[in-house]
Amino acid sequence: MTELLPLLLSALILGLLGGGHCLGMCGGLMGALTLAIPPEQRSRRLQLLLAYNLGRILSYATAGLLIGLAGWAVAGSAAEVIMRSLAALLLIAMGLYLAGWWSGLTHIEALGRGLWRHIQPLTRRFMPVTSLPRAMVLGGLWGWLPCGLVYSTLLWASSQGNAINSALLMLAFGLGTWPVLLATGLAAERITTLLRKRGVRMAGGLLVILFGIWTLPGPHQHWLMGH
């Protein structure tokens, strides 16, 4: 568990620093979900918003578990090295995106549009949102919205070779995205302003790039360990 803690912290930071992307991509959807709350349920708005996001985060964890099984299946084989190398390159791409130096990561989102076309019609069955279970299911469906940031984190999580660890990493990533999408009022403005500061994004991007280099298989890992 001690070895997993730095990875969990990294996943949390990935989610938090990627909050600006989440706000741009899911902010409109979050507004639509809020409008789907009937007037008589407005007093439970915070509870329903919590349920939305809980469902979304559980979807990330489920996806982490499923793809983690694939990582576990190839553990110890040449495919594991390939998967880990690809995950490292995507982490570097994610760092470049977070720092604002390259946005090619967003092209990965096209990979999930076919699946989303089948899932999106299901969301209408749970609107209007009249209960916490409906809100959670709707949030769970929302969790499958195509997102390059989520896909990159998923592949990195799968390279751990342990399905449970992969699920925990995606859970930590989801919790990291929570503040920006859930916070309201002045606190949300302060969080968003902080995350959009160039210095913060560059520092976070560099940390993710270094973590990607560390993840990349090779003799440099022993050198980095010694320093």
Side-chain angles (χ1 to χ4, degrees):
M1 186 64 185
T2 304
E3 297 178 356
L4 186 62
L5 286 177
L7 296 176
L8 290 173
L9 181 60
S10 299
L12 190 71
I13 292 172
L14 287 175
L16 183 61
L17 292 176
H21 176 67
C22 293
L23 191 65
M25 187 166 185
C26 300
L29 181 56
M30 192 70 174
L33 292 177
T34 302
L35 291 174
I37 301 174
E40 62 272 15
Q41 296 288 332
R42 292 295 165 85
S43 61
R44 305 173 65 195
R45 180 183 177 188
L46 179 58
Q47 297 176 31
L48 293 171
L49 293 178
L50 284 169
Y52 283 147
N53 284 278
L54 179 59
R56 177 178 60 85
I57 292 171
L58 290 177
S59 285
Y60 292 165
T62 301
L65 180 66
L66 293 175
I67 200 168
L69 289 173
W72 170 78
V74 301
S77 67
E80 179 188 10
V81 178
I82 295 173
M83 182 180 288
R84 192 169 184 85
S85 299
L86 185 56
L89 292 174
L90 283 174
L91 277 173
I92 294 171
M94 191 188 304
L96 292 171
Y97 168 78
L98 292 176
W101 295 328
W102 186 62
S103 59
L105 184 68
T106 55
H107 297 306
I108 300 175
E109 292 165 6
L111 298 174
R113 288 174 187 164
L115 176 63
W116 179 243
R117 277 197 294 268
H118 295 287
I119 294 177
Q120 188 177 22
L122 297 176
T123 61
R124 301 190 189 100
R125 299 182 182 181
F126 300 93
M127 299 173 72
V129 181
T130 56
S131 66
L132 292 177
R134 290 174 75 93
M136 189 176 296
V137 172
L138 195 55
L141 293 172
W142 167 24
W144 297 96
L145 183 74
C147 176
L149 190 66
V150 173
Y151 293 162
S152 301
T153 309
L154 265 174
L155 189 58
W156 166 62
S158 72
S159 69
Q160 306 307 311
N162 184 303
I164 300 300
N165 288 353
S166 298
L168 290 174
L169 289 175
M170 290 308 297
L171 186 66
F173 167 78
L175 289 173
T177 66
W178 207 330
V180 171
L181 290 177
L182 182 64
T184 56
L186 187 59
E189 293 175 5
R190 287 176 177 175
I191 292 172
T192 303
T193 301
L194 176 64
L195 293 177
R196 287 179 174 172
K197 285 187 176 180
R198 182 166 177 78
V200 173
R201 295 189 65 82
M202 287 179 63
L206 284 172
L207 284 174
V208 175
I209 290 170
L210 288 173
F211 194 73
I213 294 172
W214 162 255
T215 304
L216 195 66
H220 65 285
Q221 288 187 338
H222 299 289
W223 183 84
L224 287 171
M225 181 73 77
H227 292 75

